[in-house]
Amino acid sequence: MTTRDRDYQLMMTALADVARRRDTELENAEQAYQTSAAQAAGELARAEGDAVAADRWAGAAAAQVLDVDREAGRLWDQLRRAPGMRVRALGEVPEPAAVEALPRVALERSGSTAMAPAPRQSARTLLARAAERIDVTVRPAERRALPRWVLPLLPVVGALVAALTGLVAAGLVTVGSSTLPGAAVIRGLGWLAFLIAPSAGVPVGALFAHRRLHARLDIGGIGLTLLGGMVAATLLSVTFASTR
């Protein structure tokens, strides 16, 4: 083999190596391209999903804000129309506190699985509590009726309060029968206490129903309370008259 043939063979071998390396590099580049394209497609799909979720969250948040504002306005108008409230002093609905970072924080919490601090009470919970307090404190006419188990206790309450008032009245009349200064006034107060003794249990029963039971003392409850008060006052009057 001549020198020329040997050089030609070396050149062909080198050319084959170069072609082989080129094919390998092209294959690696194609594989890298496919991998990068798949990753880009995955990132794009994830970004589109996040955008859709963000749009959905923003729509729900906007709807909730509108509902909360509407409910707050309704409660504020209801409070302004309540008896005893001065409209001018109460003013218009106060503006909510500005919290610019709230949407970003909410999005971070919704997309993160990390431990988050205990959430505060929602606006709907606070509005429901405010509505309940308005119904309890400034709308007594719309309270529910007394429970049935309370009705047998009303004559007892009326009798006890009337008995206590009658005892106080008897003490005043007894003190007023002495020769103390102002005895006539004390005796007059005692007889006045005797007159109001039968109905003294009505305000006590109404206050108990208002504060403890969140109910109203209707005409039937008033009648039962007066019945017990009149019976107790009659017995005390007869007993007091027989001792004099």
Side-chain angles (χ1 to χ4, degrees):
M1 179 180 296
T2 61
T3 303
R4 184 176 180 180
D5 294 336
R6 188 181 300 107
D7 293 339
Y8 178 78
Q9 186 177 4
L10 291 176
M11 291 177 60
M12 293 300 295
T13 303
L15 181 61
D17 292 338
V18 171
R20 191 182 303 108
R21 286 198 300 271
R22 187 203 62 175
D23 294 339
T24 302
E25 293 295 335
L26 286 176
E27 184 179 356
N28 293 335
E30 182 68 22
Q31 185 176 0
Y33 172 76
Q34 296 294 337
T35 303
S36 299
Q39 292 179 353
E43 293 293 335
L44 180 59
R46 190 177 302 109
E48 290 178 351
D50 292 341
V52 172
D55 291 340
R56 188 181 301 111
W57 179 88
Q64 184 176 4
V65 168
L66 292 177
D67 292 340
V68 169
D69 289 344
R70 189 182 302 110
E71 180 66 13
R74 186 187 68 81
L75 291 178
W76 195 263
D77 291 338
Q78 178 181 339
L79 185 60
R80 294 179 63 182
R81 291 194 300 268
M85 290 291 177
R86 294 182 300 175
V87 177
R88 293 183 179 179
L90 195 59
E92 299 297 332
V93 182
E95 294 293 333
V99 185
E100 292 79 7
L102 181 58
R104 179 176 58 82
V105 172
L107 281 175
E108 290 177 357
R109 287 184 180 179
S110 63
S112 175
T113 57
M115 292 296 293
R120 295 179 297 178
Q121 293 182 345
S122 64
R124 293 183 182 275
T125 302
L126 296 177
L127 288 176
R129 185 177 302 174
E132 182 179 356
R133 294 190 64 180
I134 291 176
D135 290 338
V136 169
T137 56
V138 301
R139 299 177 63 185
E142 297 184 5
R143 295 181 184 275
R144 60 186 179 89
L146 284 173
R148 292 184 179 273
W149 61 268
V150 180
L151 298 180
L153 300 179
L154 292 178
V156 179
V157 173
L160 291 177
V161 178
L164 180 61
T165 307
L167 291 176
V168 174
L172 292 175
V173 172
T174 302
V175 173
S177 300
S178 62
T179 58
L180 294 175
V185 177
I186 297 176
R187 187 169 59 253
L189 292 176
W191 289 117
L192 180 61
F194 266 124
L195 291 177
I196 66 174
S199 60
V202 174
V204 176
L207 182 63
F208 177 78
H210 176 79
R211 294 290 180 85
R212 298 295 182 181
L213 303 177
H214 301 304
R216 56 185 175 86
L217 190 65
D218 53 8
I219 188 63
I222 295 175
L224 291 174
T225 308
L226 284 176
L227 178 62
M230 287 188 294
V231 171
T234 301
L235 294 177
L236 281 176
S237 298
V238 172
T239 302
F240 182 71
S242 62
T243 58
R244 293 183 61 86

